[in-house]
């Protein structure tokens, strides 16, 4: 039946980090359907993750959420005559688009009261909160293979993350740094101090500032990155810092941020999208963990590590800490600095 599936549409997760964690499932889907035309759709920004991917044939930018958007997308899907919709996103709306778009085979999790919209609704695995999020998406492809092909070859042991950045994009990233007076002869450290969906995940700005100063003293070029919504946090870091880190927060698209990360020597970030980008790119990545569950969202790469001093209340998964943010304040700038310089192989100065 594999050769009967000609057109596949994938509704990718909406968040950038989740989209990166779905890449192993996309890899397995391409392996199972090597000749199919695979289109991936996601909101603006998130689609940038798939720009240089050799796993997909087409990237479709999803229009805004809402009832009108649902019907507009469904009309477009009907025109394309997809044979199969693989829905990684958990929302009702994503399944509604596939159903209204008359895709004959629709598989995804039975979440958000959308079971009737799927031809193959899957129960959420009992292990969801005990395993890395990439397995959550791989499980959908494994069930798809079992149901449609009667085989079970999906790799659930060693997920393969493939995030590609063209040399042209890397060169543009170098030019962007140069335009901001970066010294490209020095190691480059990118700091991502923000987090869109949780204030509790943010290591305090004054600590990022102290880290930026220590890195600058060690002869490292430091730049702050993040989305426009994270600019106030980066501005607070810059205000506390004495070393004037480069301000790139809010000045890049997701695609440009990915390219910047790909040429960096090290990335230091909270548990947010760039952590998974750095890991997928095999860049040295340090992730500061606090209220979130490292079992499900740790950066899956031999070049990545987490720093975490977990109190009894963690992981709480709260967006705002109701007490004293002890999971984050237990981590010192000096500890992060020492782990960083060890990662990039230079001797601390001072």
């Amino acid at each position: 039946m594999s050769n009967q599936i000609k057109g596949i549409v994938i509704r990718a997760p909406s968040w950038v980090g989740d989209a990166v964690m779905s890449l192993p499932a996309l890899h397995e889907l391409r392996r199972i359907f090597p000749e199919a035309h695979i289109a991936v759709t996601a909101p603006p920004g998130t689609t940038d993750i798939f720009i240089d991917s050799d796993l997909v044939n087409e990237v479709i930018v999803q229009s805004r959420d809402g009832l009108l958007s649902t019907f507009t997308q469904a009309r477009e899907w009907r025109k394309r005559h997809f044979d199969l919709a693989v829905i990684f996103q958990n929302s009702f709306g994503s399944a509604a688009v596939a159903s209204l778009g008359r895709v004959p085979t629709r598989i995804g999790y039975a979440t958000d009261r959308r079971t009737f919209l799927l031809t193959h609704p899957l129960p959420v695995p009992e292990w969801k909160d005990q395993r890395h999020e990439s397995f959550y998406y791989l499980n959908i492809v494994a069930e798809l293979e079992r149901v449609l092909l009667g085989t079970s070859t999906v790799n659930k042991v060693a997920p393969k993350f493939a995030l590609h950045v063209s040399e042209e994009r890397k060169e543009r990233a170098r030019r962007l740094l140069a335009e901001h007076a970066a010294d490209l002869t020095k190691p480059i450290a990118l700091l991502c101090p923000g987090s869109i969906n949780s204030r509790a995940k943010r290591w305090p700005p004054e600590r990022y500032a102290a880290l930026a100063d220590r890195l600058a003293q060690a002869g490292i070029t430091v730049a702050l990155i993040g989305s426009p919504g994270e600019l106030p946090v980066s501005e607070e870091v810059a205000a506390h810092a004495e070393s004037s880190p480069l301000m790139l927060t809010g000045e890049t698209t997701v695609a440009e941020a990915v390219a910047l990360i790909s040429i960096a020597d090290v990335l230091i970030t909270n548990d947010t999208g760039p952590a998974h980008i750095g890991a997928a790119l095999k860049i040295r990545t340090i992730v500061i963990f606090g209220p979130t569950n490292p079992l499900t969202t740790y950066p899956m790469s031999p070049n990545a590590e987490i720093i975490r001093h977990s109190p009894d209340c963690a992981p709480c998964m709260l967006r705002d800490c109701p007490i004293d943010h002890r999971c984050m304040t237990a981590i010192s700038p000096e500890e992060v600095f020492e782990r960083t310089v060890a990662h990039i192989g230079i001797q601390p100065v001072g």
Side-chain angles (χ1 to χ4, degrees), residues 25-308:
L26 180 56
H27 180 277
E28 289 299 288
L29 192 67
R30 170 55 76 195
R31 183 184 59 80
I32 295 169
F33 300 100
E35 303 302 323
H37 179 96
I38 297 181
V40 62
T41 180
T46 303
T47 48
D48 288 0
I49 294 299
F50 307 99
I51 284 179
D52 287 329
S53 175
D54 57 2
L55 300 175
V56 302
N57 304 97
E58 182 182 9
V59 178
I60 303 171
V61 179
Q62 175 195 326
S63 54
R64 297 181 182 275
D65 292 332
L67 188 60
L68 180 60
S69 173
T70 296
F71 285 110
T72 301
Q73 292 175 67
R75 189 182 311 115
E76 184 64 27
W77 286 27
R78 283 198 298 273
K79 292 178 183 177
R80 293 169 180 265
H81 301 290
F82 292 118
D83 302 302
L84 167 65
V86 181
I87 306 171
F88 293 147
Q89 222 272 343
N90 287 324
S91 71
F92 182 94
S94 58
V97 171
S99 180
L100 292 170
R102 298 174 187 168
V103 182
T105 303
R106 307 179 297 277
I107 189 167
Y109 287 115
T111 53
D112 205 21
R113 300 181 179 181
R114 65 182 194 172
T115 299
F116 71 99
L117 296 171
L118 302 169
T119 60
H120 296 81
L122 304 176
V124 174
E126 294 180 359
W127 45 257
K128 184 182 185 305
D129 294 329
Q130 283 82 47
R131 301 186 71 188
H132 194 268
E133 192 76 3
S134 59
F135 294 108
Y136 183 66
Y137 304 117
L138 276 166
N139 185 62
I140 296 177
V141 180
E143 288 299 307
L144 174 68
E145 181 191 24
R146 183 185 62 81
V147 170
L148 294 189
L149 307 180
T151 55
S152 180
T153 64
V154 169
N155 185 354
K156 294 185 180 181
V157 179
K160 296 180 181 179
F161 289 86
L163 185 55
H164 300 292
V165 180
S166 67
E167 287 302 319
E168 180 184 357
R169 284 171 62 197
K170 289 181 180 180
E171 184 56 35
R172 287 202 298 267
R174 293 186 187 97
R175 289 200 300 269
L176 178 62
L177 286 170
E179 289 167 3
H180 284 77
D183 185 346
L184 300 183
T185 66
K186 297 179 179 179
I188 298 170
L190 300 181
L191 275 56
C192 183
S195 172
I196 288 293
N197 62 352
S198 170
R199 283 180 290 273
K201 290 199 296 186
R202 298 173 186 168
W203 195 42
E206 62 272 16
R207 301 203 175 196
Y208 266 109
L211 173 63
D213 289 342
R214 289 290 279 123
L215 292 170
Q217 291 167 9
I220 298 171
T221 296
V222 179
L224 304 175
I225 63 170
S227 67
E230 296 165 308
L231 181 57
V233 182
S234 286
E235 288 177 334
E236 192 173 351
V237 173
H240 283 288
E242 298 178 359
S243 55
S244 301
L246 306 178
M247 180 63 74
L248 297 178
T249 304
E251 295 194 18
T252 64
T253 64
V254 171
E256 290 167 338
V258 171
L260 281 170
I261 294 170
S262 75
I263 63 170
D265 292 279
V266 66
L267 167 70
I268 303 119
T269 177
N270 303 320
D271 175 26
T272 188
H276 303 290
I277 293 170
L281 290 169
K282 307 298 187 291
I283 297 300
R284 296 178 182 92
T285 302
I286 294 175
V287 186
I288 301 171
F289 263 84
T292 47
N293 183 359
L295 289 176
T296 59
T297 59
Y298 66 90
M300 190 175 278
S301 165
N303 290 336
E305 65 172 301
I306 67 173
I307 298 179
R308 180 175 185 254

